[in-house]
Amino acid sequence: MVLSWKNTENALPFYKRNAPLRGSTDTLYQPNNGNFLKEVELVAQFDPVPKEHIAKVQGGASHTSYLGNIIQNELIDCISERVVECMVTEIRQSKYFSIILDCTPDLSHKEQLSVIIRIVAAEGTAQIKEYFMGFLEAEQTTGEGLSTLILKKLKELNIPFEDCRGQSYDNGANMKGKNKGVQARLLQLNPRALFVPCGAHTVNLVVCDAAKSSSDATGYFGYLQKLFNLFSASTQRWSTLKKHVDITLKSWADTRWESRINSVEVVRFQAAKVRDALLEVRASTADPAIKIEAQALAEEVGSYRFSICTVVWYDILRKVQTVNKLLQSQCMHLDVAVDILKKAETSLVSYRDTGFVDAQTSAKEVCEEMNVEAALKQKRLRTTKRQFSYEASDESITDALKKMDYSFFNVVVDVAIESLRERTGMMSDVAKKFSVLISFPDLPASELEKQAKYLCNTLTSGDQAA
């Protein structure tokens, strides 16, 4: 059957396929009655049984239509139960599995724990499969609360936790904590459920740790968010921004890690244009509050301190983002991932020695483009009262650049290095345990036996072995 645009109302309405299963009306042959009733209407064109049923419903002969919201919800539940049943069957056939958990708040401000189970399907050609088992509402986000929640879910699905051989989460303290985190509590119950840090979160949370390490760091991203809020709150101001810049401002999102480098990129390479847009907003607006805010942000964007922070953050984020993209590759090997993380750590260590001097040079070029003075304003230094007579007074750091080097650059880079080093160590431990599976074709017999025994001991608990 060939359909034209003229008879789409009588056939499959292709242009309405974004409608939900249930629409805003429960009446047949209405434009907004949803996908379910639209499918019933379509089937009725070719099947006499539903056609006759629909005719009775429309004629008022039948009071029970089986087309309302209750039956729709029952159908969804039936399909959901059947899908979950099939997934659980395949998981139990594969026996061993890993769990992947992540928490995120929804629009109703409730914490939702997503549960994913990964298996190696053994039928035919072995292949890795991941099954999304649903969301769990987490009333308590502590390690104890989350571990209890996932164990309860596995018990309901009749999936024995004793067969779990891996767990992977983000790097939040409640998840990865060595003492009271989810991974520690689950390891107490099953020592063979080895913790593997999430590759995608591993590098990005390095930036989060660094961003919280210094008041200059947190204040800097606060200014970026204020910039976005100022322009995005008005279509006219957004048009003013787009008139000046080639890349628009991006918001700093807590759940989208890539937004960090996107939010910095525009002020790194188009700071002068952003400042011109702010000055135009200040001159054109009649709102005194907007005028004051635009003036304050223009002064901040044009400051030498802001330019240095921008260059430093962009350099760190660029290094981190490159590694992040590589780690998210589907064909990434564990030993290669460890090597990439070690090189990233080495790169940051090297950057610590010369990065601040290079950032000053780049920041001066940005200030010259904006025609502003490349100088830091000296902040007033507060003195503290000495408590004991034998204490010597701390030496004040009078040079503003030196103070920024110590209190901002060194702190941020050191925290990033330490955070990356911690995650590299966790990934290296995993690679060491499974090294025999990575390089066994090249190992001599004695080393092969040694590493095989090491892996066997890792996967053995008491009298039970994997």
Side-chain angles (χ1 to χ4, degrees):
M1 179 179 66
V2 179
L3 298 177
S4 67
W5 288 108
K6 294 182 180 180
N7 63 357
T8 50
E9 284 292 337
N10 299 321
L12 181 62
F14 292 101
Y15 57 91
K16 299 178 181 176
R17 301 321 293 164
N18 286 328
L21 184 68
R22 184 186 178 194
S24 57
T25 177
D26 292 333
T27 306
L28 287 165
Y29 299 104
Q30 293 296 316
N32 300 319
N33 58 4
N35 274 334
F36 178 79
L37 292 182
K38 278 288 180 283
E39 296 297 334
V40 173
E41 295 168 9
L42 176 64
V43 173
Q45 296 183 39
F46 309 102
D47 193 319
V49 176
K51 183 177 182 179
E52 181 181 356
H53 177 67
I54 287 178
K56 291 180 179 179
V57 172
Q58 289 187 305
S62 175
H63 295 287
T64 306
S65 65
Y66 299 102
L67 301 176
N69 63 301
I70 296 178
I71 192 65
Q72 292 181 36
N73 291 336
E74 289 183 0
L75 286 172
I76 293 174
D77 290 339
C78 290
I79 295 172
S80 173
E81 292 175 2
R82 180 56 180 161
V83 170
V84 171
E85 182 182 333
C86 292
M87 291 191 298
V88 170
T89 299
E90 188 162 1
I91 291 171
R92 299 193 66 185
Q93 287 177 349
S94 300
K95 188 173 175 60
Y96 301 118
F97 65 92
S98 297
I99 54 175
I100 304 173
L101 308 177
D102 194 12
C103 277
T104 184
D106 60 13
L107 292 177
S108 61
H109 306 290
K110 294 180 179 179
E111 198 75 19
Q112 300 287 342
L113 177 67
S114 61
V115 181
I116 297 175
I117 294 182
R118 172 181 284 192
I119 64 170
V120 177
E123 294 183 2
T125 304
Q127 55 180 323
I128 298 174
K129 293 184 178 181
E130 289 183 353
Y131 292 120
F132 173 63
M133 310 305 295
F135 289 106
L136 304 178
E137 185 177 329
E139 297 180 357
Q140 296 180 346
T141 57
T142 61
E144 181 180 5
L146 294 176
S147 57
T148 302
L149 193 62
I150 181 59
L151 290 173
K152 180 181 178 181
K153 181 63 175 179
L154 291 175
K155 186 175 181 179
E156 291 175 355
L157 295 173
N158 199 20
I159 299 175
F161 179 66
E162 293 75 16
D163 293 335
C164 181
R165 291 298 178 269
Q167 45 178 323
S168 180
Y169 325 115
D170 62 20
N171 290 282
N174 60 338
M175 304 296 282
K176 73 175 182 65
K178 297 179 180 180
N179 298 319
K180 297 183 180 180
V182 175
Q183 66 109 352
R185 294 179 182 277
L186 295 186
L187 280 173
Q188 291 176 359
L189 300 175
N190 181 3
R192 293 166 294 183
L194 304 177
F195 172 63
V196 182
C198 175
H201 287 86
T202 292
V203 178
N204 285 303
L205 285 178
V206 170
V207 179
C208 290
D209 292 342
K212 299 174 184 177
S213 63
S214 165
S215 59
D216 283 331
T218 54
Y220 172 77
F221 288 108
Y223 280 116
L224 288 184
Q225 190 61 45
K226 288 180 181 179
L227 279 172
F228 177 81
N229 293 341
L230 175 68
F231 286 107
S232 63
S234 166
T235 55
Q236 293 180 346
R237 294 197 291 271
W238 191 258
S239 298
T240 301
L241 175 67
K242 291 182 67 176
K243 184 174 66 175
H244 287 83
V245 302
D246 302 321
I247 308 173
T248 56
L249 291 167
K250 303 294 189 299
S251 176
W252 171 284
D254 292 331
T255 55
R256 296 187 62 234
W257 308 110
E258 196 168 354
S259 67
R260 284 144 173 78
I261 191 169
N262 292 336
S263 64
V264 177
E265 184 178 12
V266 61
V267 290
R268 171 62 182 91
F269 297 106
Q270 300 187 78
K273 296 180 179 180
V274 172
R275 185 169 177 268
D276 290 340
L278 288 168
L279 294 176
E280 182 174 336
V281 168
R282 182 198 63 180
S284 61
T285 185
D287 188 336
I290 299 299
K291 189 182 292 290
I292 293 173
E293 185 175 5
Q295 174 65 29
L297 288 174
E299 291 177 358
E300 183 64 30
V301 172
S303 68
Y304 188 38
R305 180 183 298 275
F306 186 88
S307 298
I308 292 176
C309 289
T310 298
V311 174
V312 170
W313 272 117
Y314 183 78
D315 290 344
I316 295 176
L317 289 167
R318 183 167 48 86
K319 295 176 184 294
V320 167
Q321 184 68 4
T322 301
V323 177
N324 184 51
K325 290 294 185 182
L326 292 173
L327 291 181
Q328 292 186 44
S329 172
Q330 293 184 352
C331 57
M332 176 57 60
H333 289 198
L334 192 58
D335 55 338
V336 178
V338 173
D339 185 57
I340 290 174
L341 289 172
K342 288 181 178 179
K343 288 181 178 178
E345 179 187 334
T346 303
S347 177
L348 282 177
V349 171
S350 176
Y351 179 73
R352 189 188 189 280
D353 297 331
T354 61
F356 192 67
V357 176
D358 296 339
Q360 294 177 56
T361 304
S362 300
K364 288 179 180 178
E365 295 175 357
V366 175
C367 290
E368 289 177 1
E369 185 180 356
M370 293 186 289
N371 196 24
V372 296
E373 183 183 5
L376 289 180
K377 294 182 180 180
Q378 179 66 47
K379 294 185 177 181
R380 184 175 67 88
L381 298 176
R382 296 187 302 172
T383 58
T384 57
K385 184 178 180 180
R386 293 164 59 185
Q387 300 296 324
F388 302 101
S389 59
Y390 58 82
E391 282 187 344
S393 58
D394 294 334
E395 182 180 353
S396 299
I397 303 175
T398 56
D399 185 79
L401 271 175
K402 186 178 295 185
K403 185 175 186 299
M404 189 176 183
D405 185 12
Y406 291 161
S407 64
F408 165 66
F409 179 79
N410 287 348
V411 172
V412 168
V413 178
D414 286 347
V415 170
I417 292 173
E418 186 59 33
S419 183
L420 185 60
R421 186 172 292 157
E422 178 188 358
R423 288 153 176 78
T424 304
M426 290 189 293
M427 196 75 78
S428 298
D429 289 341
V430 177
K432 180 181 178 181
K433 293 173 182 176
F434 292 92
S435 59
V436 64
L437 304 179
I438 299 173
S439 55
F440 71 90
D442 304 321
L443 293 175
S446 58
E447 184 64 21
L448 180 62
E449 182 180 3
K450 178 182 177 181
Q451 293 191 16
K453 288 183 178 179
Y454 180 76
L455 179 59
C456 181
N457 293 333
T458 300
L459 297 177
T460 300
S461 176
D463 297 331
Q464 296 182 345

